[in-house]
């Protein structure tokens, strides 16, 4: 790639290819306007006087708008801009496993660039309908509330949604840790997080022996919004590439609400017409095409995605949340109330859904899980009605079912990084099936 | 024939300087050196044509020469469309050989008042809540409304199972802006049960650009019109999901920098919707019965786009998140679900009275729930206690084991006759089943008294 740039610079010096060069006429935080750049294609990579890089965002009759992705030095009006006449791509190294990386091929913990970099296209073509096969192999989280009632399969997109501090990221980290020795490559994508948060996650994964099969791909909140915007697309392109080589990949996207806000910021500064809540009208498409990379492929590989969305005051019906719920194959809803009561993981069992259900579960788990869910929900419904009643006046059958409900809630509690195996779950909840038979 | 040169590109919006004044709105243009870049003309001046790109514009160069390739987008209009799966531009997706016999433009006229036929016979779906609260007849448009993840697609799939699989009436499935996984699974299900022969599917899923998503509904309509007008028969049309069509239109409007009104919809939404819905009429040749899933964004039932589509429906089933939260599926809000047929003259006095009485009970039940939250159940009068317990039974009774959700419930799906539903509801209301535990009504077909 470096060769290519040299050649282009050389050409420009010799005035060989002057149409691919232009001049900066306007600069703002992460967009520039360029005049004179004629030989250019949509989404081409552009270099600005060696000071910055970006891609062609819009072509107008007399100017070109460039979105900047990397800025090393201050750009001035009049700076020379040249198109590399090739699609804008990001960089990735096969040595990234076990590291914290960014989309430009930097090893962030070591603070240097990787040596063996390959180009990754961002958000390329979608996966053809006919290349997808059904999702039916399980991906266990080790959390009984999820594996029994809202199971996740390889190739599934399962949303994790809840307020701040309800353990959303923790559920994802638990899931990564539970993939040890299960031949799954994990990618944790941090969008606009603080460096401290990411470093802590890196340490946590290392401590729990999970970093050896995990890539942490990060963008931070003090970086260019374009970089944060692109990061999940690059991560999913990498995941897709691995899937085509028959690997199973798990991608955590933390989080999409932040991503939506960053995209809104970029859209508004580039004069897109705002829609609902001032998000651009294509916000649904922006997330849909990202999450549709999750699938079971006919090659045998799969991409499982666990996107995270942060809500306010437990409202999962706001615009961005419902958009993403309508894309994913189910959602795990976390409730602040449950969390505060010490019921962890703080899953709201009524609002959580898995659209694949028993298709991705072992027969044993599915049998217990479907009964457990039905009984648990009936209990949660009845509990409120009889909360004020005198326990001694309840019928014995009712009293027993309330006691059983309490026991279920207790048995579903689980501390972080303490995954349960399938057989442990079966043993723990075997009573669900037993008693219903007798009754 | 070369007609011009590209001067501006922004996502899907492309402007061409034209050297030929025969260009019309709707024409299809193509890059001379690369057939993957195709455009539809949507606005013309003396010197320029504004186009929307049919595919991604990535890598498209400024200055590219374009030629005209057709007068509009087309879809197969012959028997060759039966049993096949198409994309929005009428290309087959199933990787099998395809020989086109006759094609037709996808922008077609609506049915005239002269040809429109409104008389028809009843249509049973075998789903308790639909047949009871929102009974249907052939030629109806039934809207299935719901927010994200409350079970619209499951209900559509069950309707395909109950109606198409049982009768093999010619059917069209149009997947707009929905999950690719679900689309492929539906296709696989139909292939594996050997039912593809009378089904045509058109897909523009959510991973596709807005132009694809907005075109595929018209492409599907051409297929439905062929079956009605040429095959002269009844047609079932399943659209999942029509809201995504409006959404895709909004995205295109935004890219074209048009002014958007409330919540980001273009001001032309009503006109766009009418162009689709008015094509779905029944004529003397045949009926088109359509089931249209309607997504409710942000659980906002009063959303402009939603209300726009709903105004064309003959009936509606509204799915509710609070019912889903209780684990009762299909999670139907009985207060908002109804149809034009709920009328004493049309469904008979008995059915009509039962619907009224059921709604009266359930309304009182909602009030009682609030009272109980404060005072406890023991404080209710005997009559209210009856209403309370019977309403809970009714609520549970209207859950139903569906064929297509056997994998979630581990219970075998059931088709339920309307007569059985009427009997059961009557018995619950008049107290015959007062001694039966409410859980006995949960996820059953008809109730079998012991």
């Amino acid at each position: 790639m470096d060769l290519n740039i040299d050649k282009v610079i050389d050409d420009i010096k010799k005035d060989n290819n002057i149409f691919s060069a232009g001049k900066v006429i306007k600069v703002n935080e992460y967009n520039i306007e360029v005049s004179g750049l004629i030989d250019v294609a949509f989404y081409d990579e552009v270099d600005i006087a060696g000071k910055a890089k970006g891609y062609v965002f819009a072509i107008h009759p007399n100017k070109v708008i460039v979105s900047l992705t990397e800025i090393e030095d201050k750009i001035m009006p009049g700076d020379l801009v040249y198109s590399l006449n090739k699609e804008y791509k990001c960089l990735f190294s096969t040595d990234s496993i076990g590291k914290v990386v960014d989309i430009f091929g930097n090893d962030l913990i070591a603070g240097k660039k990787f040596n063996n970099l390959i180009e990754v296209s961002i958000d390329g073509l979608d996966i053809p309908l006919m290349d997808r096969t059904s999702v039916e192999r399980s991906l266990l989280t080790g959390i009984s509330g999820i594996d029994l009632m809202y199971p996740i399969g390889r190739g599934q997109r399962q949303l994790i949604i809840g307020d701040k501090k309800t353990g959303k990221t923790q559920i994802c980290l638990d899931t990564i840790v539970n993939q040890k020795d299960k031949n799954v490559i994990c990618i944790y994508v941090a969008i606009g997080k603080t460096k401290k948060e990411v470093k802590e996650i890196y340490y946590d994964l290392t401590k729990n022996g999970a970093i050896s099969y995990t890539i942490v791909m990060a963008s931070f909140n003090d970086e260019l919004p374009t970089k944060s915007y692109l990061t999940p697309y690059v991560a999913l392109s990498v995941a897709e590439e691995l899937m085509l080589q028959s690997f199973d990949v798990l991608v955590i996207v933390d989080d999409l609400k932040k991503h939506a806000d960053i995209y809104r910021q970029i859209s508004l500064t580039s004069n897109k017409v705002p829609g609902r809540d001032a998000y651009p009208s294509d916000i649904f498409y922006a997330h849909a095409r990202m999450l549709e990379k999750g699938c079971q492929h006919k090659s045998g590989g799969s991409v499982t995605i666990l996107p995270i969305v942060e809500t306010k005051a437990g409202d999962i019906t706001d615009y961005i949340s419902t958009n993403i719920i309508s894309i994913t194959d189910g959602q795990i809803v976390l409730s602040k109330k449950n969390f505060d009561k010490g019921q962890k993981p703080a899953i709201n069992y009524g609002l959580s859904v898995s659209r694949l259900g028993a298709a991705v579960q072992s027969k044993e788990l599915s049998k217990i899980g479907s009964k457990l869910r039905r009984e648990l929900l009936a209990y949660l419904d009845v509990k409120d009605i009889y909360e004020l009643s005198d326990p001694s006046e309840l019928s014995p059958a009712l009293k027993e079912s309330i006691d059983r409900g309490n026991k279920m809630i207790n048995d579903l509690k689980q501390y972080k990084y303490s995954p349960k195996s399938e057989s442990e779950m079966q043993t723990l909840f075997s009573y669900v099936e037993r008693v219903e038979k007798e009754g | 024939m070369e007609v011009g040169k590209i001067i501006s590109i922004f996502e899907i919006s492309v402007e061409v300087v034209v050297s030929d004044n025969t260009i019309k709105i709707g024409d299809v243009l193509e890059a001379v050196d690369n057939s993957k870049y195709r455009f539809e003309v949507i606005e013309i001046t003396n010197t320029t044509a504004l186009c929307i790109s049919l595919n991604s514009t990535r890598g498209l160069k400024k200055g590219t020469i374009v030629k005209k390739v057709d007068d509009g987008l087309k879809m197969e209009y012959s028997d060759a469309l039966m049993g096949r799966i198409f994309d929005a531009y009428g290309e087959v997706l199933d990787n099998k050989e395809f020989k086109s016999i006759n094609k037709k433009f996808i922008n077609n006229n609506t049915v005239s008042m002269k040809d429109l036929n409104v008389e028809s016979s009843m249509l049973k779906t075998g789903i308790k809540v639909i047949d009871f609260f929102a009974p249907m007849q052939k030629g109806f448009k039934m809207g299935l409304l719901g927010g994200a993840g409350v079970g619209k697609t499951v209900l559509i799939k069950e309707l395909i199972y109950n109606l198409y699989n049982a009768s093999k009436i010619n059917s069209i499935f149009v997947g707009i802006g929905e999950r690719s996984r679900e689309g492929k699974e539906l296709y696989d299900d139909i292939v594996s049960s050997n039912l593809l022969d009378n089904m045509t599917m058109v897909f523009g899923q959510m991973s596709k650009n807005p132009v694809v998503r907005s075109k595929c509904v018209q492409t599907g309509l051409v297929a439905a019109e062929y079956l009605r007008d040429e095959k002269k028969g009844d047609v079932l049309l399943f659209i999942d999901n029509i809201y995504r069509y409006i959404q895709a239109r909004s995205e295109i409007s935004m890219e074209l920098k048009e002014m958007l009104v409330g919540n980001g919809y273009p001001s032309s939404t009503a006109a766009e919707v009418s162009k689709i819905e008015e094509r779905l009429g029944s004529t003397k040749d045949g009926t088109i019965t359509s089931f249209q899933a309607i997504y409710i964004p942000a659980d906002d039932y009063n959303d402009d786009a939603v209300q726009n589509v709903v105004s064309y429906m003959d009936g509606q089933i509204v799915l509710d998140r609070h019912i889903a939260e209780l684990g009762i599926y299909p999670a139907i809000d009985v207060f908002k679900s109804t149809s034009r047929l709920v009328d004493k003259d049309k469904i008979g006095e008995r059915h009509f009275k039962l619907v009224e009485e059921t709604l009266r009970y359930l309304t009182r039940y909602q009030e009682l729930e609030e009272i109980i939250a404060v005072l406890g159940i023991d404080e209710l009068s005997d009559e209210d206690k009856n209403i309370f317990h019977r309403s809970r039974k009714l609520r549970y009774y209207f859950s139903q084991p569906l064929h297509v959700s056997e994998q979630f419930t581990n219970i075998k799906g059931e088709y339920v006759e309307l007569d059985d539903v009427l009997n059961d509801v009557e018995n619950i209301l008049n107290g015959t089943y007062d001694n039966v535990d409410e859980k006995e009504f949960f996820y059953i077909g008809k109730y079998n008294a012991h």
Side-chain angles (χ1 to χ4, degrees):
Chain A
M1 201 203 89
D2 288 334
L3 249 177
N4 205 344
I5 292 182
D6 288 344
K7 190 184 166 300
V8 172
I9 295 175
D10 206 39
D11 278 345
I12 290 168
K13 279 182 184 154
K14 289 180 191 151
D15 274 357
N16 278 349
N17 194 8
I18 47 166
F19 287 138
S20 61
K23 286 207 164 93
V24 174
I25 50 172
K26 187 176 167 187
V27 189
N28 75 18
E29 207 180 338
Y30 40 85
N31 274 337
I32 54 168
E33 283 181 19
V34 181
S35 74
L37 197 58
I38 292 169
D39 181 21
V40 68
F42 187 64
Y43 227 76
D44 264 1
E45 183 168 346
V46 171
D47 193 296
I48 298 99
K51 295 176 179 172
K53 277 186 190 164
Y55 59 90
V56 174
F57 179 74
I59 301 174
H60 297 298
N62 48 6
K63 65 183 179 193
V64 169
I65 314 282
V66 172
S67 257
L68 302 174
T69 52
E70 284 172 276
I71 303 178
E72 272 157 31
D73 204 353
K74 288 241 179 324
I75 301 170
M76 307 296 286
D79 278 350
L80 202 61
V81 180
Y82 41 90
S83 158
L84 304 188
N85 282 332
K86 67 177 193 63
E87 185 187 330
Y88 180 81
K89 287 186 174 172
C90 287
L91 296 171
F92 177 76
S93 164
T94 41
D95 296 337
S96 299
I97 292 187
K99 304 272 165 46
V100 181
V101 303
D102 70 3
I103 57 172
F104 305 128
N106 292 311
D107 178 341
L108 298 176
I109 299 278
K112 59 174 198 293
K113 232 183 178 80
F114 287 104
N115 292 322
N116 52 340
L117 292 168
I118 45 170
E119 292 195 323
V120 187
S121 94
I122 305 151
D123 183 19
L125 294 175
D126 64 324
I127 298 158
L129 198 68
M130 285 297 156
D131 290 355
R132 298 165 183 261
T133 57
S134 44
V135 175
E136 44 199 19
R137 295 178 300 144
S138 64
L139 185 133
L140 295 170
T141 62
I143 298 168
S144 26
I146 296 176
D147 289 346
L148 279 168
M149 289 183 280
Y150 308 99
I152 299 171
R154 296 187 180 197
Q156 184 170 343
R157 292 82 42 93
Q158 184 83 351
L159 168 65
I160 314 289
I161 183 168
D163 285 2
K164 254 189 217 327
K165 301 280 164 232
T166 47
K168 298 184 295 297
T169 304
Q170 191 55 49
I171 283 188
C172 297
L173 296 180
D174 270 317
T175 309
I176 293 181
V177 168
N178 199 44
Q179 301 315 310
K180 199 177 289 172
D181 305 323
K182 292 197 178 109
N183 286 321
V184 177
I185 299 173
C186 301
I187 306 179
Y188 175 86
V189 184
I191 302 171
K193 290 220 167 267
T194 62
K195 296 186 184 91
K196 189 175 168 189
E197 283 171 314
V198 174
K199 201 151 191 179
E200 272 169 2
I201 285 165
Y202 173 73
Y203 283 152
D204 254 17
L205 289 172
T206 309
K207 246 187 287 171
N208 288 285
I211 203 70
S212 58
Y213 52 88
T214 305
I215 302 165
V216 177
M217 196 179 271
S219 70
F220 303 110
N221 49 8
D222 58 350
E223 293 178 316
L224 280 177
T226 31
K227 184 183 178 187
S228 295
Y229 167 68
L230 292 177
T231 299
Y233 294 104
V234 175
L236 281 156
S237 290
V238 170
E240 184 183 356
E241 205 46 55
L242 292 165
M243 171 183 78
L244 295 176
Q245 299 166 25
S246 311
F247 286 104
D248 287 320
V249 190
L250 167 69
V251 183
I252 314 286
V253 185
D254 194 0
D255 71 299
L256 279 181
K257 177 74 165 84
K258 188 70 121 317
H259 186 260
D261 290 350
I262 289 167
Y263 186 49
R264 173 169 66 183
Q265 182 190 348
I266 295 173
S267 297
L268 290 176
T269 39
S270 52
N271 291 326
K272 281 200 185 183
V273 189
R276 190 184 272 266
D277 296 350
Y279 290 101
S281 298
D282 65 349
I283 186 73
F284 172 78
Y285 179 42
H287 287 150
R289 63 180 198 264
M290 177 200 299
L291 297 174
E292 284 281 276
K293 296 275 182 198
C295 80
Q296 170 67 53
H297 195 265
K298 65 178 183 187
S299 68
S302 68
V303 173
T304 311
I305 312 179
L306 301 182
I308 294 176
V309 167
E310 187 179 296
T311 53
K312 279 188 193 141
D315 179 17
I316 63 161
T317 63
D318 71 285
Y319 184 45
I320 297 299
S321 307
T322 48
N323 264 352
I324 295 166
I325 290 173
S326 73
I327 300 168
T328 53
D329 302 308
Q331 72 268 3
I332 305 292
V333 182
L334 300 178
S335 122
K336 184 90 177 86
K337 204 169 136 200
N338 288 350
F339 192 85
D340 293 344
K341 275 196 280 187
Q343 188 188 315
K344 294 178 204 171
I347 302 171
N348 177 327
Y349 293 101
L351 286 173
S352 300
V353 170
S354 164
R355 269 173 245 267
L356 286 151
V360 297
Q361 252 177 335
S362 70
K363 266 215 170 88
E364 294 74 28
L365 283 198
S366 135
K367 251 186 170 165
I368 298 178
S370 60
K371 282 186 184 145
L372 177 64
R373 174 161 196 261
R374 223 171 18 243
E375 209 173 317
L376 191 66
L377 294 189
Y379 156 74
L380 292 173
D381 178 30
V382 167
K383 194 186 78 173
D384 295 339
I385 296 171
Y386 295 101
E387 206 154 33
L388 293 170
S389 302
D390 180 357
S392 60
E393 282 176 14
L394 295 180
S395 74
L398 196 61
K399 195 164 174 299
E400 202 209 309
S401 91
I402 288 180
D403 287 346
R404 261 160 68 86
N406 278 328
K407 180 171 163 52
M408 284 175 204
I409 290 283
N410 263 321
D411 288 344
L412 285 167
K413 285 185 192 163
Q414 212 168 321
Y415 196 65
K416 66 177 178 180
Y417 302 126
S418 49
K420 286 197 169 65
S421 70
E422 274 192 82
S423 57
E424 281 170 326
M425 292 179 198
Q426 271 177 56
T427 321
L428 182 58
F429 289 97
S430 55
Y431 62 90
V432 175
E433 216 179 355
R434 213 167 40 235
V435 182
E436 195 164 279
K437 256 182 215 156
E438 284 163 14
Chain B
M1 187 181 65
E2 290 179 7
V3 293
K5 197 168 142 185
I6 290 174
I7 53 159
S8 80
I9 308 162
F10 178 55
E11 308 261 324
I12 54 161
S13 111
V14 170
E15 202 176 354
V16 177
V17 173
V18 288
S19 53
D20 184 301
N21 56 11
T22 59
I23 295 288
K24 305 181 300 299
I25 285 179
D27 281 357
V28 181
L29 310 182
E30 188 181 293
V32 169
D33 56 357
N34 193 339
S35 65
K36 84 171 186 191
Y37 298 117
R38 294 170 79 209
F39 319 96
E40 187 190 41
V41 178
I42 55 160
E43 191 183 298
I44 36 179
T45 67
N46 271 341
T47 52
T48 60
L50 183 61
C51 308
I52 47 174
S53 176
L54 302 185
N55 302 311
S56 166
T57 50
R58 211 171 267 202
L60 177 63
K61 269 195 140 74
K62 186 174 183 180
T64 302
I65 309 286
V66 294
K67 60 179 181 188
K68 177 175 161 178
V69 288
D70 212 335
D71 289 324
L73 292 167
K74 282 176 174 166
M75 166 65 181
E76 187 62 27
Y77 194 72
S78 77
D79 272 3
L81 61 78
M82 315 267 289
R84 301 305 294 265
I85 165 171
F86 294 88
D87 70 8
Y89 306 137
E91 307 287 335
V92 283
L93 285 173
D94 51 16
N95 304 328
K96 287 185 223 141
E97 202 196 331
F98 179 73
K99 232 176 142 187
S100 168
I101 300 169
N102 179 30
K103 290 196 171 202
K104 197 172 178 186
F105 292 120
I106 63 168
N107 292 320
N108 215 344
N109 287 334
T110 58
V111 178
S112 72
M113 194 148 176
K114 174 171 89 54
D115 293 335
L116 193 69
N117 188 0
V118 291
E119 296 286 304
S120 190
S121 55
M122 285 281 279
L123 183 79
K124 302 271 166 55
T125 65
I127 299 172
K128 291 189 278 191
V129 264
I130 298 186
D131 289 345
F132 186 76
F133 289 104
M136 295 207 39
Q137 65 183 23
K138 279 186 187 169
F140 256 35
K141 288 179 188 155
M142 181 58 84
L144 306 169
L145 294 90
V150 290
K152 291 182 299 297
T153 298
V154 169
L155 207 54
I156 284 264
K157 280 172 84 177
E158 182 73 2
L159 286 161
I160 293 176
Y161 189 99
N162 280 0
L163 293 170
Y164 171 69
N165 292 14
S167 64
K168 294 199 78 184
I169 295 178
N170 289 331
S171 297
I172 316 280
F173 179 88
V174 184
I176 314 172
E178 284 297 300
R179 303 177 187 88
S180 301
R181 177 188 60 76
E182 283 173 346
K184 181 63 186 344
E185 279 173 8
L186 178 65
Y187 175 76
D188 287 344
D189 283 351
I190 290 177
V191 170
S192 67
S193 39
N194 254 328
L195 288 163
L196 193 61
D197 294 355
N198 298 51
M199 175 67 89
T200 302
M201 302 176 110
V202 180
F203 283 109
Q205 296 302 70
M206 58 168 68
S207 54
K208 296 288 185 187
N209 77 44
V211 185
V212 173
R213 280 177 276 138
S214 74
K215 293 294 175 196
C216 70
V217 62
Q218 280 140 302
T219 306
L221 289 187
V222 173
E225 282 159 353
Y226 174 75
L227 297 171
R228 180 191 64 196
D229 300 343
E230 307 297 327
K231 305 288 278 183
K232 306 206 184 296
D234 293 338
V235 185
L236 295 175
L237 173 66
F238 302 95
I239 302 178
D240 189 8
N241 156 333
I242 194 73
Y243 173 80
R244 303 290 181 206
Y245 166 74
I246 302 173
Q247 186 177 44
R249 297 291 319 179
S250 313
E251 288 171 43
I252 295 172
S253 296
M254 180 193 73
E255 304 287 6
L256 298 174
K257 304 229 180 272
E258 283 174 16
M259 179 72 90
L260 302 179
V261 293
N263 288 333
Y265 300 112
S267 52
S268 59
T269 303
E272 300 290 349
V273 173
S274 71
K275 272 184 216 158
I276 300 296
E277 295 296 342
E278 289 291 312
R279 275 171 78 173
L280 293 172
S282 300
T283 66
K284 60 177 189 328
D285 292 330
T287 60
I288 296 181
T289 309
S290 61
F291 294 90
Q292 308 183 25
I294 304 168
Y295 172 73
I296 303 181
D299 277 15
D300 177 5
Y301 178 72
N302 294 318
D303 180 88
D304 286 346
V306 172
Q307 285 306 318
N308 235 312
V309 184
V310 165
S311 62
Y312 291 93
M313 297 294 132
D314 297 300
Q316 62 179 43
I317 296 292
V318 179
L319 301 170
D320 185 274
R321 194 174 301 280
H322 300 294
I323 313 270
E325 199 177 345
L326 299 170
I328 298 175
Y329 286 96
I332 284 169
D333 177 344
V334 298
F335 301 107
K336 290 200 185 107
S337 303
T338 184
S339 86
R340 266 181 223 281
L341 279 192
V342 183
D343 185 303
K344 222 182 269 182
D345 303 332
K346 290 179 178 147
I347 52 172
E349 188 163 357
R350 177 176 180 229
H351 187 171
F352 182 75
K353 279 230 163 110
L354 286 173
V355 173
E356 274 199 323
E357 189 68 358
T358 304
L359 291 178
R360 189 177 75 81
Y361 267 62
L362 293 174
T363 310
R364 181 69 186 148
Y365 173 76
Q366 285 193 326
E367 294 165 359
L368 292 177
E369 266 190 322
E370 285 163 27
I371 298 172
I372 289 169
V374 183
L375 297 174
I377 190 166
D378 304 330
E379 304 298 319
L380 296 185
S381 72
D382 282 348
E383 197 200 335
D384 277 345
K385 269 187 191 158
N386 274 338
I387 291 181
F388 182 78
H389 288 294
R390 288 174 195 165
S391 298
R392 286 181 65 84
K393 280 168 200 165
L394 283 170
R395 206 177 63 173
Y396 279 133
Y397 177 73
F398 283 114
S399 66
Q400 185 169 344
L402 303 180
H403 298 95
V404 293
S405 53
E406 281 169 16
Q407 57 165 323
F408 307 102
T409 54
N410 277 325
I411 306 173
K412 223 178 137 18
E414 284 197 54
Y415 182 104
V416 188
E417 296 292 345
L418 178 63
D419 284 340
D420 292 327
V421 180
L422 297 181
N423 288 336
D424 289 342
V425 171
E426 197 162 46
N427 284 328
I428 293 173
L429 288 173
N430 67 22
T432 311
Y433 294 152
D434 274 0
N435 292 323
V436 183
D437 186 75
E438 63 184 27
K439 277 192 186 155
E440 299 237 352
F441 294 97
F442 206 14
Y443 284 109
I444 57 165
K446 67 171 184 172
Y447 181 71
N448 293 309
H450 298 300

